[in-house]
Amino acid sequence: MNELILSKDLRGANGVIPLEINTTFKRGELTVLFGKSGAGKSTILRMIAGLLEPTGGKIVIEDEIWYDSSKKINLPPQKRKVGFVFQEYALFPNMTVRQNLLYALDDKKKTFKVDEILKITELTKLENEKPDALSGGQKQRVALARALVREPKILLLDEPLSALDFAMRAKLQDELLKIQRHFNLTTILVSHDIGEVYKLAQFVLELADGKILRQGTPSEIFGGSKISGKFKFSGEIVDIAQSDIVFIVSILVGQDVVKVVSTKEEIRDLKIGQKVTLSSKAFNPIITPI
Amino acid sequence: MNVLHGKIKQIQTVNELSKIIIDLNGHTFTSLIIDIETFGDIAIGKEIKLLFKEAEVMIGTKESIVSASNAFVSTVKKINQGEILSEVVFDFEGNDIISLITTSSLQRLQIEVDKEFLWFVKANEVTLQKEIK
């Protein structure tokens, strides 16, 4: 079990906001910190990594105490097994992909670890390239691979995909999920993209002004389960197109694309790539024998 | 989607089928749902959201008698006329209710802004959503 009890004064645009967090999250689970900017999401990651000291509290990761103000325990960042990936890739430009990964390796003899991670992240073919020769998506994959090389107890992802275009983001989300499950790695992801949260999160902590507003599974938080409709599916919007004064929203449900008529007002809150719940009353569907 | 906020006034259940009566500033709405148990904790006095699609809202003249449980006379606030479809926006107690009908019906009923018409939606078309706290 992992435990976070944190207090810290956040200095935001509207003055000082006290951050007060008290939560636990499961080992091997992907937890998303969701909320507006300034809610304290990145601050929490930085405190877990040891880059910022809380005013008080406790940080326990995989039953190891990293910080406990009452016992005066505060492990330095290098003693905390953390993999940290930011929106900026922060790769060494003068080093190849492989050298970037080797640099992060704690035990330099374990180069097989680098080979293994290059393979899992599908970077083996690019191992001798320098970052400048890579696309944004590839660079972010290298940043993730480098974080994994350290064999972290916790992976901290601070909006790592927000600079990428939709197609690349969707692809990297799939890869991230695959890698996270492969290593059964406790992960905290900061995101403000509901579609991304639906796709990746096993647990969501919604933050506002330094406090936990709500916590639960994505559907508990975002309301899909609070609808009475009996004909209910989750899907992803793949297209929105206008016909006359209405809009036809195409939604990928499983392997099928279904089309739903929506109005201008409705589509204002919808965008391509977004995860949605599709529901209809049990009275509407027509059954015909085949 | 049309969204209204109300309070549950009455629940009548026969086997899996339930009729929920909702109060909205003195107006009564009816929603039919099945399998109320899996919908969970809904009780008299609780706040609830009513959702129904624009295309399910029909329009009649003020004097019409209809079978739909949810029928109200309101003033037309705005009309957005398309080639095949038109949106008629009603002012219902300060809430916008949008009805999506064919442009030919709009013309047949001579619907115009500031005129009063009956808009109605069947109880089986009204979806309930629990208020998220």
Side-chain angles (χ1 to χ4, degrees):
Chain A
M1 193 51 96
N2 304 291
E3 195 180 352
L4 282 185
I5 304 171
L6 300 168
S7 55
K8 181 86 188 169
D9 283 344
L10 300 177
R11 266 161 242 285
N14 302 320
V16 175
I17 302 163
L19 176 126
E20 295 289 345
I21 299 293
N22 187 342
T23 189
T24 56
F25 50 100
K26 286 190 198 127
R27 191 178 186 144
E29 247 186 28
L30 195 152
T31 302
V32 170
L33 297 182
F34 177 81
K36 294 198 182 99
S37 46
K41 305 183 300 284
S42 300
T43 307
I44 292 172
L45 295 195
R46 296 184 60 215
M47 288 194 279
I48 297 171
L51 303 173
L52 184 72
E53 195 180 337
T55 315
K58 198 173 171 187
I59 300 172
V60 182
I61 303 297
E62 302 214 339
D63 303 322
E64 195 178 284
I65 300 171
W66 288 5
Y67 176 80
D68 190 338
S69 56
S70 65
K71 291 181 186 155
K72 304 239 180 303
I73 298 173
N74 185 11
L75 291 190
Q78 62 273 20
K79 290 261 173 77
R80 301 184 187 198
K81 293 279 242 173
V82 163
F84 212 141
V85 182
F86 308 89
Q87 188 182 327
E88 314 81 52
Y89 320 113
L91 300 171
F92 294 112
N94 55 329
M95 293 185 192
T96 65
V97 168
R98 190 181 179 78
Q99 285 164 344
N100 265 284
L101 265 61
L102 284 170
Y103 186 85
L105 196 62
D106 284 336
D107 182 349
K108 302 293 180 206
K109 284 183 209 117
K110 285 191 178 172
T111 54
F112 66 89
K113 196 83 216 161
V114 168
D115 294 325
E116 183 196 331
I117 285 163
L118 282 171
K119 200 173 157 201
I120 290 167
T121 51
E122 295 170 27
L123 287 167
T124 311
K125 278 186 190 156
L126 299 171
E127 65 174 345
N128 295 319
E129 298 289 348
K130 294 225 170 114
D132 276 352
L134 305 176
S135 70
Q138 288 166 335
K139 279 185 207 166
Q140 200 52 294
R141 244 189 297 155
V142 177
L144 179 63
R146 187 184 51 185
L148 295 171
V149 160
R150 299 197 63 204
E151 297 183 73
K153 289 201 154 126
I154 188 165
L155 188 61
L156 304 174
L157 307 170
D158 195 354
E159 304 203 40
L161 310 179
S162 57
L164 305 172
D165 65 34
F166 168 67
M168 182 50 73
R169 200 161 68 226
K171 187 167 181 287
L172 275 184
Q173 284 165 352
D174 292 339
E175 284 183 23
L176 181 63
L177 209 54
K178 192 183 84 182
I179 289 164
Q180 193 264 335
R181 300 286 190 270
H182 177 88
F183 291 105
N184 200 22
L185 196 56
T186 306
T187 303
I188 300 185
L189 168 72
V190 166
S191 179
H192 57 247
D193 175 354
I194 292 186
E196 186 165 283
V197 178
Y198 252 101
K199 189 162 171 181
L200 300 178
Q202 287 162 297
F203 196 71
V204 183
L205 294 174
E206 185 177 1
L207 300 180
D209 299 328
K211 309 279 183 303
I212 296 174
L213 199 62
R214 293 183 290 177
Q215 49 186 316
T217 62
S219 56
E220 279 167 359
I221 300 282
F222 301 114
S225 62
K226 300 207 183 282
I227 285 205
S228 69
K230 281 291 156 286
F231 220 69
K232 200 160 67 183
F233 306 97
S234 55
E236 185 174 328
I237 298 176
V238 290
D239 190 39
I240 300 173
Q242 189 164 6
S243 296
D244 200 4
I245 59 160
V246 294
F247 291 80
I248 312 293
V249 182
S250 301
I251 299 162
L252 182 68
V253 178
Q255 302 295 315
D256 301 309
V257 172
V258 294
K259 295 187 181 232
V260 178
V261 175
S262 287
T263 57
K264 201 163 85 188
E265 284 72 27
E266 261 181 308
I267 64 148
R268 205 177 289 148
D269 299 325
L270 303 176
K271 61 174 192 283
I272 292 173
Q274 197 173 343
K275 289 271 179 183
V276 291
T277 298
L278 191 61
S279 72
S280 174
K281 303 271 299 187
F283 293 90
N284 303 47
I286 295 165
I287 305 174
T288 47
I290 40 174
Chain B
M1 197 160 50
N2 290 299
V3 182
L4 291 170
H5 299 260
K7 258 198 182 121
I8 298 174
K9 200 164 130 187
Q10 199 187 318
I11 303 171
Q12 182 190 359
T13 302
V14 176
N15 299 331
E16 277 201 75
L17 183 66
S18 299
K19 184 167 106 176
I20 320 281
I21 308 285
I22 295 132
D23 177 71
L24 210 149
N25 285 344
H27 296 284
T28 300
F29 271 76
T30 306
S31 170
L32 288 179
I33 68 170
I34 60 163
D35 201 9
I36 193 169
E37 250 126 67
T38 56
F39 186 43
D41 174 37
I42 65 167
I44 291 163
K46 283 219 169 176
E47 286 181 12
I48 197 114
K49 260 203 251 184
L50 295 93
L51 317 175
F52 46 97
K53 295 277 280 191
E54 292 80 353
E56 306 298 351
V57 180
M58 282 179 276
I59 301 177
T61 54
K62 270 196 325 187
E63 301 74 23
S64 318
I65 299 169
V66 294
S67 72
S69 317
N70 307 302
F72 307 92
V73 173
S74 297
T75 307
V76 176
K77 191 173 147 187
K78 209 173 99 187
I79 294 170
N80 178 18
Q81 191 171 335
E83 208 178 311
I84 296 176
L85 289 170
S86 289
E87 274 180 340
V88 180
V89 185
F90 287 98
D91 177 17
F92 175 68
E93 299 276 319
N95 302 290
D96 281 357
I97 296 293
I98 302 175
S99 168
L100 189 65
I101 58 172
T102 55
T103 300
S104 52
S105 292
L106 179 89
Q107 288 158 347
R108 190 161 42 86
L109 268 76
Q110 298 177 339
I111 299 171
E112 286 165 20
V113 172
D114 290 337
K115 278 209 217 165
E116 283 190 328
F117 279 87
L118 185 79
W119 63 269
F120 56 100
V121 57
K122 281 168 63 75
N124 61 286
E125 298 295 354
V126 177
T127 292
L128 300 181
Q129 186 176 29
K130 284 187 262 185
E131 295 279 8
I132 300 161
K133 284 276 169 339

